[in-house]
Amino acid sequence: MSNSRDLHGLAQLVRDGRRYWASPAGRALWRAERACLGPVCERLFGRHSLELGMSPVLSDICPIRHALSWSPTREMAAHESTLVCPPDGLPLPDDSLSLVVIHHLLEVVPDPHHMLQEAARVTADDGRLIIFGWYPLSAGGLSRALPGRREYMPGRGRWRTPGRLGDWLTFVDFEIERVDYCGFHLPGGLPRNAMLETLGRRHNLPLGDSYMIHARRRTQRVEPQRPGLELAGPLLGPSLGSATRLSTRREVRREKEPQE
């Protein structure tokens, strides 16, 4: 993503994505995904967040003080709180964000592994990493087999299952807490049927067009350290009986040293 050709290609990709999210199908799915994110945001607090995506911002409903969005170029930035950079080279400190949202970008960016590594790097230890992805086994995913569907948004790129992204997250020391599915609809329809959306989300059926992964940093197990004390011979004396005296390693070594 360092040369101008890559930057131009990424900018064109984002323009195509924004056109999709402005369409009736894109707006309907955006509302469904925002409804999925709402309950998660109610439990999140912090100082800074970042959303990487091509749609209007979803995470502005979260009670986080400073919300950053992302853009590949300054001309495409929506407001002042926009991070202008390649998605796999975030100019932010480690562990600096309480929330990072990746919204349907891992499917289409040239280097998704590095992008995920960067997102994990800037997520705080107690923060959350949210990933929205296209579900390949949904009605929309299966329709990509039709001629020409993979040439246009959202059918472009490589769609991956939550299990596959779980393997990627393990590599960056994150783990999946939960996967939610959203964007339920009948074949050929739009994901705006309230009854289907309510039923699908209530039972979390893996039939929605998209999924939302909740991930957090894996907890590191602390290995207990052995104490620097060892058991020596029994203490002699009427008041102690057969109790054992604790002596330090240094005393034991001194006892074993030859006398001069």
Side-chain angles (χ1 to χ4, degrees):
M1 284 298 170
S2 58
N3 57 55
S4 59
R5 182 177 179 180
D6 290 338
L7 186 61
H8 175 75
L10 181 61
Q12 185 59 49
L13 179 72
V14 172
R15 291 189 190 97
D16 294 342
R18 288 182 178 181
R19 279 195 293 269
Y20 165 74
W21 290 107
S23 69
R27 289 197 301 268
L29 182 60
W30 183 88
R31 287 190 290 269
E33 291 179 337
R34 188 176 173 90
C36 283
L37 184 62
V40 179
C41 283
E42 292 175 358
R43 303 188 295 270
L44 291 178
F45 297 91
R47 299 181 61 184
H48 306 286
S49 68
L50 171 65
E51 182 169 334
L52 300 158
M54 300 176 285
S55 75
V57 176
L58 287 168
S59 56
D60 56 355
I61 58 177
C62 297
I64 292 180
R65 303 175 189 175
H66 183 212
L68 292 168
S69 60
W70 168 82
S71 173
T73 64
R74 188 175 301 277
E75 293 75 20
M76 301 177 69
H79 49 75
E80 293 182 355
S81 295
T82 302
L83 198 63
V84 179
C85 64
D88 55 359
L90 303 177
L92 296 171
D94 296 353
D95 308 325
S96 58
L97 303 178
S98 301
L99 170 66
V100 176
V101 177
I102 301 177
H103 187 256
H104 297 291
L105 267 187
L106 290 177
E107 294 91 343
V108 292
V109 294
D111 198 342
H113 290 280
H114 283 168
M115 179 183 173
L116 183 61
Q117 288 176 11
E118 278 292 275
R121 177 184 65 82
V122 300
T123 303
D125 289 344
D126 58 348
R128 292 295 183 274
L129 176 59
I130 304 293
I131 301 173
F132 284 92
W134 299 108
Y135 188 47
L137 302 180
S138 65
L142 297 177
S143 69
R144 296 173 73 223
L146 298 175
R149 287 296 182 94
R150 300 193 180 206
E151 299 177 8
Y152 304 97
M153 290 290 186
R156 292 171 60 179
R158 187 172 181 179
W159 293 16
R160 302 173 180 89
T161 64
R164 181 59 176 160
L165 289 184
D167 296 336
W168 290 20
L169 287 165
T170 300
F171 182 77
V172 295
D173 291 329
F174 271 68
E175 60 186 355
I176 294 179
E177 282 190 318
R178 179 181 171 88
V179 178
D180 287 314
Y181 296 88
C182 45
F184 300 90
H185 62 90
L186 296 174
L190 297 181
R192 58 188 180 192
N193 188 309
M195 183 180 68
L196 285 179
E197 193 71 23
T198 300
L199 182 64
R201 289 183 54 197
R202 178 181 300 166
H203 299 284
N204 202 22
L205 301 175
L207 300 173
D209 274 355
S210 66
Y211 55 82
M212 179 178 66
I213 292 177
H214 314 226
R216 65 181 301 173
R217 197 174 300 279
R218 297 172 64 186
T219 55
Q220 301 293 331
R221 294 182 178 180
V222 179
E223 295 292 337
Q225 295 183 354
R226 295 181 178 179
L229 300 175
E230 294 182 353
L231 293 177
L235 293 175
L236 302 178
S239 61
L240 296 177
S242 60
T244 345
R245 182 174 66 91
L246 293 175
S247 62
T248 65
R249 297 177 185 269
R250 184 177 300 175
E251 292 174 347
V252 172
R253 287 196 299 267
R254 187 176 300 152
E255 292 174 358
K256 294 181 179 180
E257 290 176 357
Q259 300 292 328
E260 294 184 355

